[in-house]
Amino acid sequence: MLPLSFQKPPPIRKTGNVLLDLLTPEERQRLLPNSESIPLPLKAILTPQGAVIEYCYFPTAGMISMTAEMQGGDSVEVGLAGKEGFVGVPIVLGNDCSEFCANVQVAGNAIRVAAAELRTAIGAHPAFRDCLLLHANVQFSVVTQCSACNALHSAEQRLARWLLMVHDRIDTNDLPLTHELLAQMLGTRRATVTFVAGALERAGLIIQTRGSIHILNAANLQKAACECYARIRRMDPDLLSTEADTDRLARA
């Protein structure tokens, strides 16, 4: 046994969510004492569009989409969150209602925090609030870029971009995505997704199986995507997970 002065410090328990892991376990317990880890079942609706936000979600695995729902039943994705972010930006901005529907598109897990508790936490920890606000700004920038992308770029470029964005957030080359889901996310017809996914497969970039898409090489797939993926990647909230931000939180 090593002398006491040479004992290794206990490992810091991480949640797996970039934003929450900017807090130490002690800070998380003090600021968010009632937070809990919950499963994210596929297609679960976490917050309906227009509803009062009761909980915020910090994914540790899987992916949550924010979709705009139309009266006729159509919908299109306007944002997404994985381990790099959270769902509940309006709470940080002082709003109570969600303008979009938050639903699970890739099953996983999340840390669930009551909205009222998160408001209290960001009031007590200004540096944590600033990091969440920075993430909110990134989310809005991504939405803006994706809006321009949807208007100006081809369906094949947009599909490649979206597959890469999902890949970044769930850390696997096997994406559990159906053509029906892809059509909804891209705001296009299923037949269009089938056609452009087939083109990507023939180019040797992906392999399709029933209910899943396997990325063969992310770097090559990026060449098929438009410029928007590179721009969005530079905005990635993973940039919050730096020593500078950790130090800033520690000093607060």
Side-chain angles (χ1 to χ4, degrees), residues 79-96:
L80 69 166
K83 58 182 173 52
E84 85 297 338
F86 78 111
V87 174
V89 164
I91 295 299
V92 182
L93 300 178
N95 298 326
D96 293 324

Side-chain angles (χ1 to χ4, degrees), residues 14-43:
K14 298 289 187 179
T15 67
N17 178 274
V18 170
L19 294 172
L20 286 186
D21 286 342
L22 291 173
L23 299 170
T24 66
E26 292 74 23
E27 286 173 327
R28 289 198 300 270
Q29 180 58 37
R30 174 171 59 85
L31 294 168
L32 307 169
N34 299 311
S35 61
E36 57 181 340
S37 179
I38 64 165
L40 294 176
L42 182 65
K43 296 185 179 181

